[in-house]
Amino acid sequence: MNEKILIVDDEESIADLVEVYLQNEGYRVCKFYNAADALSCLEQEELSLAILDVMLPDMDGFTLCRKIREKYLFPIIMLTAKVEDMDKITGLTLGADDYITKPFNPLELIARVKTQLRRYTRYNISEMPAAVEEISIRGLRISKDSHKCFLNEKELSLTPLEFNILLYLCEHRGKVVPSEELFAAVWGEAYLDSNNTVMTHIARLREKMKEPARKPKYVKTVWGVGYTIE
């Protein structure tokens, strides 16, 4: 197993525990207790996934998440002792892929790590078919082959999840895609009624496309049903 995972948590006992569980599963681990050392590691190591605590001594985990997303697309799982919905939404909006609150079962965290790595590998460029497959809709171009998306000839910086949400909607142009279907297709898991993950990622996608929330040109909401690109 070649996956190398970054752990950043100033609670040493938790970081050490997570490290042991990950190593027992065969993962290599880079562990730090502050954001500065983690950022230095990013420049030196090729990482497959990051687990970030929200409360760090030198920089909050949300800021660290945003800095990572400026350059890297690997999955990010946020850890926090806070349970407020806004904390979860903040993390997902900044580019996190999953969120787990403390205290947590280490086995659940390991399961989420495996899920994120499977999903990332599935949508990685190297796993895409060789044949060029591009969809063009009114100035929006999205390519499965290059895993790139352009809006009015300007490339959009999308995370793998954002890309696959947009790709799925484009592939089903003219159809209203229910949130349950979109979540199952992109996340590969069963959708829960209380899950706001799709809504949060759609909002982030619209923000990157500079789409007005009330009257978007591309990704439109059909209230009570799902989303569509006409």
Side-chain angles (χ1 to χ4, degrees):
M1 185 177 292
N2 296 318
E3 288 95 341
K4 184 178 292 185
I5 297 177
L6 173 68
I7 301 172
V8 191
D9 196 319
D10 65 334
E11 294 187 66
E12 297 185 15
S13 60
I14 292 179
D16 295 345
L17 179 65
V18 173
E19 178 184 30
V20 169
Y21 272 83
L22 288 170
Q23 289 177 337
N24 286 343
E25 293 293 326
Y27 298 110
R28 294 180 293 162
V29 174
C30 295
K31 179 184 64 178
F32 301 98
Y33 305 126
N34 61 72
D37 290 340
L39 288 172
S40 296
C41 173
L42 287 168
E43 302 296 328
Q44 304 171 23
E45 302 286 349
E46 184 173 345
L47 300 170
S48 302
L49 181 143
I51 300 172
L52 311 179
D53 185 28
V54 170
M55 303 299 292
L56 296 171
D58 54 342
M59 178 189 299
D60 67 80
F62 295 137
T63 301
L64 178 57
C65 175
R66 187 175 66 247
K67 286 183 174 293
I68 290 175
R69 276 289 172 259
E70 290 174 357
K71 293 184 179 180
Y72 306 98
L73 296 176
F74 55 74
I76 298 174
I77 298 175
M78 303 295 295
L79 301 179
T80 182
K82 297 181 178 181
V83 297
E84 288 84 355
D85 286 342
M86 281 309 300
D87 287 325
K88 180 174 183 178
I89 292 172
T90 297
L92 293 174
T93 300
L94 292 174
D97 299 278
D98 203 353
Y99 190 99
I100 189 168
T101 55
K102 300 177 181 179
F104 57 85
N105 185 330
L107 293 177
E108 180 185 355
L109 177 59
I110 296 301
R112 295 195 185 196
V113 166
K114 291 180 178 179
T115 297
Q116 291 297 331
L117 288 174
R118 282 197 304 270
R119 184 178 301 137
Y120 181 64
T121 301
R122 176 183 174 189
Y123 291 119
N124 192 279
I125 295 174
S126 62
E127 300 295 322
M128 300 303 290
V132 174
E133 190 172 340
E134 183 174 287
I135 300 173
S136 181
I137 302 174
R138 303 190 313 277
L140 175 67
R141 291 191 297 112
I142 186 166
S143 170
K144 284 183 69 173
D145 181 52
S146 66
H147 217 261
K148 291 184 178 181
C149 180
F150 296 85
L151 182 58
N152 298 323
E153 301 307 318
K154 182 178 180 180
E155 185 174 356
L156 298 176
S157 178
L158 305 179
T159 68
L161 285 174
E162 292 164 352
F163 178 89
N164 288 302
I165 288 171
L166 187 57
L167 177 63
Y168 193 84
L169 291 174
C170 288
E171 288 177 333
H172 296 79
R173 179 183 180 183
K175 172 188 174 183
V176 179
V177 179
S179 298
E180 297 87 345
E181 178 184 334
L182 188 57
F183 188 85
V186 175
W187 278 264
E189 300 172 8
Y191 180 86
L192 300 176
D193 289 340
S194 61
N195 195 328
N196 293 320
T197 303
V198 172
M199 179 182 66
T200 302
H201 281 80
I202 289 287
R204 179 61 174 163
L205 182 59
R206 284 173 174 158
E207 181 181 332
K208 290 186 176 181
M209 297 174 70
K210 301 189 185 306
E211 287 253 83
R214 293 183 178 275
K215 293 184 178 180
K217 178 180 177 182
Y218 294 97
V219 182
K220 299 183 179 181
T221 301
V222 179
W223 295 107
V225 183
Y227 303 92
T228 185
I229 290 183
E230 298 176 346

